Structure formats: C-alpha cells, structure tokens
Amino acid sequence: MPILKRFGLLSDLYSALQLAFWPTLRHIWATPSLIFHPTAISRIFMSYVWTAFGAGIDENNVQLKTSLITKNAYGVVLDIGAGHGHTAKYLDTTRVTKYVALEPNILMHDAIRRTADAAGFSEPSGTLLILACGAEDTTTILTSLGGYQPVDTLVSVLTLCSVPEPQETIKSLTTEVLKPGGQLLFIEHVRNPLPNVAWWQTFWSPLWGLAFDGCRLDRPSHTWIQQVGGWASEELTGTDSEDEEHLFWHRVGKFVKAT
C-alpha cells in the first residue's frame, strides 16, 4: 500500500481542524462547562465541519444517490444520521409520504428543515419529522411515529460508521423499526477486505473518530447487515472506479425485508 494512501487522510484532518478548531474553542470559552461534555464538543466541531464539507460530499454522490434512493424510496422514510437532510433532495414526493430525519446533533436541525422544505417536506404539513435521539433508541423512534408504527424505507448514508453499539443497533433498526416487506438502502464506507488496508483503517480510527464524532473506518457494516438475516433479497455493490486500496472503501446496498 503506497505511503500516500496510508497517510492521505491527514490532509482531511488538517482541513477540518483549520475550519472547526477555533469556532469550537470559542464555544468552550463562552461555556467552560463544555469541557466536562466531550460529546457536546464533538458535535459542535462536527457541525462546523459538515457546514463546510457536507454539500460537496453530497454533490460528489448525486448519481449514486439518485439511482439508489430516488429510484427505490417510498412510504415513510427514516434517514439515519440525517446530517443536513440531503437525503430529502432525492425523495420523490409522489412516492414518499413522510421524511423522518434522525439526527442527534441538534445543531444541524435548522439545516435539515431548510433542505427538507426545499424538497417539499415540512413539519406544518406533517410530512417532516425531526428526531434528536440516537439510532440505537428504537423505542423513541417508534413511539415518535405514533404508537409503534414501523417505517417502509430505512436510509443510511455514511452513518453506520459512527452509531454506538453498531451490531445491536443495526439489528434493532432492521427487525423492529423496518416493517415486513420494507427496505434498507445504504451507502457506507466499510472495512476494506485487503488485510494491509484494513490494518491502517484500524490504526487511524481512534484519531479519526475523535475528530469526526466517533466515525470509524474499519467497521464491516455491510456484513453485519447481512448477518441480521430475514432478507427476501439482497443487492450489494461497490462504487464505480473506486481504488481497491482506498481507506474509505464503500459498499452500496438495497436489502428488502421478508414479509
């Protein structure tokens, strides 16, 4: 594995620090008690990072998201780790009845509202619901939908890398929150199958996660999804022209739950 590929992510870390370090420090200066709440600090930092990079990352994946999400999403859609709500841009309002944005970082909620509103989903109309709980809190998710109402479509875009207790969370979401016959659509960076690349993913994950709200490079999320079982069909692919030695190795999936 070439040295530039091993250390290439340091430039991303540097860019993030340049953009978000001082604004985050100003928050801590204004509210010193934040030093006792590292999760809050991480979310402040991430809010600045995503404001700078989120739109660009979305633009780089327009074709992929259109073919996966626009083509398939229907009914009540739960977007796990919604960020700024970019998924709403790819939802067909003639097929999707409600967009549920799950985002524990409340600093991103205003951006979700703006993006969703532009896409035709709003809270006053009942077509938008924003939840501040984590993906692991399936009880809150279901009760917020109005009495244990499962969803038709689960969407996860670059999110399973950072959810707590990922295997248990994936299982709970797909068995409890997704209705029979429903579908899970995902685009995730996952553990690379090449051992030398996977070693570097694990090596960098603690530092990367510290900067990016717990994100890990080495989770085999696609495999954990398969291991849940109970799927009527599984479609799993990669992304076009992706370097096999890339530290951010992606899998794209459409899994339909058995009825």
Side-chain angles (χ1 to χ4, degrees):
M1 186 179 180
I3 192 167
L4 287 177
K5 292 181 180 179
R6 300 177 195 174
F7 294 92
L9 54 66
L10 289 178
S11 63
D12 295 326
L13 281 169
Y14 179 71
S15 296
L17 285 170
Q18 275 190 311
L19 287 163
F21 177 77
W22 290 111
T24 302
L25 192 61
R26 284 195 291 271
H27 277 270
I28 297 171
W29 182 264
T31 311
S33 61
L34 280 171
I35 63 174
F36 301 108
H37 302 281
T39 298
I41 294 174
S42 179
R43 289 178 177 173
I44 292 168
F45 185 91
M46 191 62 186
S47 71
Y48 284 105
V49 170
W50 204 243
T51 296
F53 294 117
I57 293 172
D58 175 61
E59 286 298 320
N60 289 338
N61 291 283
V62 167
Q63 185 175 354
L64 181 59
K65 289 183 176 182
T66 300
S67 62
L68 178 69
I69 299 172
T70 307
K71 179 181 176 181
N72 295 298
Y74 70 92
V76 178
V77 175
L78 175 62
D79 187 12
I80 308 163
H84 283 181
H86 291 127
T87 292
K89 296 164 51 180
Y90 301 92
L91 300 178
D92 182 347
T93 55
T94 65
R95 289 165 44 85
V96 175
T97 57
K98 177 176 283 190
Y99 173 53
V100 184
L102 183 67
E103 179 49 67
N105 191 338
I106 62 173
L107 298 173
M108 298 189 181
H109 286 191
D110 285 343
I112 293 174
R113 290 186 178 93
R114 290 192 296 270
T115 307
D117 185 68
F121 301 94
S122 67
E123 289 166 311
S125 69
T127 56
L128 170 65
L129 176 64
I130 302 176
L131 301 179
C133 63
E136 71 281 2
D137 192 355
T138 54
T139 298
T140 298
I141 295 170
L142 287 167
T143 54
S144 296
L145 291 170
Y148 284 89
Q149 298 293 318
V151 303
D152 301 287
T153 305
L154 283 175
V155 175
S156 180
V157 179
L158 307 180
T159 296
L160 297 178
C161 54
S162 59
V163 300
E165 301 177 353
Q167 288 175 273
E168 186 61 35
T169 297
I170 290 169
K171 182 178 180 180
S172 296
L173 286 170
T174 55
T175 58
E176 299 173 20
V177 179
L178 184 63
K179 68 170 53 174
Q183 58 185 345
L184 168 61
L185 310 174
F186 64 89
I187 305 168
E188 296 287 346
H189 64 77
V190 300
R191 185 177 181 85
N192 195 297
L194 299 178
N196 61 324
V197 181
W199 188 93
W200 284 100
Q201 287 178 312
T202 300
F203 175 82
W204 287 118
S205 281
L207 178 61
W208 189 262
L210 187 64
F212 297 105
D213 204 14
C215 173
R216 291 196 62 91
L217 310 180
D218 59 351
R219 288 184 174 178
S221 302
H222 60 308
T223 300
W224 292 338
I225 291 169
Q226 289 178 306
Q227 289 173 349
V228 170
W231 301 111
S233 66
E234 303 178 11
E235 298 178 22
L236 187 64
T237 62
T239 56
D240 294 338
S241 305
E242 184 166 72
D243 188 339
E244 64 178 5
E245 290 188 326
H246 206 294
L247 287 174
F248 295 91
W249 194 69
H250 293 84
R251 296 288 89 181
V252 180
K254 174 189 174 184
F255 284 48
V256 178
K257 187 174 177 179
T259 56

